[in-house]
Amino acid sequence: MTEWQWIQGFAEQFRRCGVHEGEPVTILSETRSRASLVETSLLAAQSLGARVCQVVMPTPANPGPVAIRSTGASVALRGHEAAIAALSAGGMVVDCTVEGLLHSVELPRILGSGSRVLMISNEHPENFERFGPVPGLEDRVAKGKELIDAARTMRVTSAHGTDLTVDLSGAMRAGSTGLTDGPGSIAHWPGGLVIAFPARDTVNGTAVLAPGDINLTFKRYVERPVTLRFENDVLVAIEGDGVDAEMFRSYIAAWNEPEAYAVSHVGWGMNPAARWDYLELYDKGDVNGTEARAFAGNFLISTGANEVAGRYTAGHFDLPMRGCTVTLDGTPVVSEGVLAGELAP
């Protein structure tokens, strides 16, 4: 069941993504999608006069050894030609799948057709009440994208021992404001993130997850430090005492896939309306962690699927870190967890 304020908020977001009267809008969901998100999206698009249809896919069984969470790689389409054709017919696709299409193998074909995709994060709709327009966010994200486009090297350090270097040669770089910006574009809502998908063998060094950092696969704040050591893009050591490190090692090993140990993407959050301290306010089933990926000044490192490096896997960690300094060719864009220079609000 939906509520009027949710419909209004979704309609405003769709309008800002260019949805207009008469435009075709396809609501993509699966049988395990959150029904309130699907209903809210449908009614919001209809309220704008869009010509709406739905594609509903059966959620496939999980063949893996552990639960799959927050991967950005929905497998619901499974190469279904009729469904892909419907999603590739132009207009906007509202993605309400559980995991999202960001890393799905079908996405390039859908975007290549000219359709644009807005991913609705698998959160309780109440979360979206706080994510209306943020003054200046689009301009700051665009500036961040401009800076990372021009950079050759990203370096990340912290007082806890993080010292990570990313060669950006060959990386795909993106900035998400939560808004689609024309044919072939994709965005996730809420937005406010600048990221790079590095090419193979380009990430080296150490990332130290400190207390208060977040493991979004587990929807859990880190309580004891976990040290991640990367060599040529691959996670070669997971060090630390206590349950945080133990669960990390156990979950990633369960996949028995080399791709699960490699870097997916790196970047930093830009959204001053997003908060790092909200997870404790919701049941785990009511959050997907997109807000935690976007809160201003976080450094986000992820392992798992990376299309630029030719890797696909359902084993995935998204790890927003606080208090880091992020530099591009030596110039800070984040200083000790605070947006710096031209990116400061």
Side-chain angles (χ1 to χ4, degrees), residues 108-186:
R109 181 172 166 189
I110 295 168
L111 297 181
S113 73
S115 295
R116 63 194 191 280
V117 176
L118 178 65
M119 295 171 54
I120 304 295
S121 184
N122 184 29
E123 321 261 356
H124 191 286
E126 177 190 307
N127 291 335
F128 295 92
E129 293 178 6
R130 298 181 290 115
F131 290 106
V134 178
L137 179 61
E138 289 84 5
D139 290 341
R140 289 196 300 275
V141 170
K143 184 60 182 179
K145 171 69 161 46
E146 179 183 320
L147 293 173
I148 201 171
D149 279 345
R152 294 167 298 182
T153 303
M154 174 190 291
R155 186 181 179 198
V156 186
T157 58
S158 79
H160 299 285
T162 293
D163 194 346
L164 193 74
T165 300
V166 182
D167 179 354
L168 293 171
S169 302
M172 191 278 282
R173 307 123 198 257
S176 177
T177 63
L179 303 175
T180 59
D181 58 0
S185 63
I186 183 170

Side-chain angles (χ1 to χ4, degrees), residues 101-276:
L101 291 178
L102 184 62
H103 299 298
S104 296
V105 296
E106 296 89 356
L107 179 65
R109 181 172 166 189
I110 295 168
L111 297 181
S113 73
S115 295
R116 63 194 191 280
V117 176
L118 178 65
M119 295 171 54
I120 304 295
S121 184
N122 184 29
E123 321 261 356
H124 191 286
E126 177 190 307
N127 291 335
F128 295 92
E129 293 178 6
R130 298 181 290 115
F131 290 106
V134 178
L137 179 61
E138 289 84 5
D139 290 341
R140 289 196 300 275
V141 170
K143 184 60 182 179
K145 171 69 161 46
E146 179 183 320
L147 293 173
I148 201 171
D149 279 345
R152 294 167 298 182
T153 303
M154 174 190 291
R155 186 181 179 198
V156 186
T157 58
S158 79
H160 299 285
T162 293
D163 194 346
L164 193 74
T165 300
V166 182
D167 179 354
L168 293 171
S169 302
M172 191 278 282
R173 307 123 198 257
S176 177
T177 63
L179 303 175
T180 59
D181 58 0
S185 63
I186 183 170
H188 57 76
W189 186 37
L193 185 63
V194 176
I195 58 173
F197 292 84
R200 284 182 176 269
D201 305 325
T202 56
V203 181
N204 288 277
T206 300
V208 180
L209 304 178
D213 293 341
I214 306 173
N215 186 320
L216 284 176
T217 297
F218 300 143
K219 310 296 188 296
R220 172 187 171 94
Y221 292 103
V222 172
E223 296 182 0
R224 299 182 65 176
V226 181
T227 299
L228 309 177
R229 302 195 186 279
F230 295 90
E231 294 181 4
N232 294 327
D233 214 28
V234 176
L235 180 57
V236 296
I238 304 163
E239 301 169 357
D241 300 322
V243 71
D244 295 296
E246 290 177 12
M247 287 196 304
F248 201 117
R249 288 190 288 262
S250 176
Y251 184 86
I252 201 169
W255 291 100
N256 195 30
E257 295 176 356
E259 292 84 358
Y261 286 85
V263 172
S264 175
H265 53 80
V266 294
W268 67 90
M270 296 282 293
N271 194 333
R275 299 188 62 90
W276 73 276

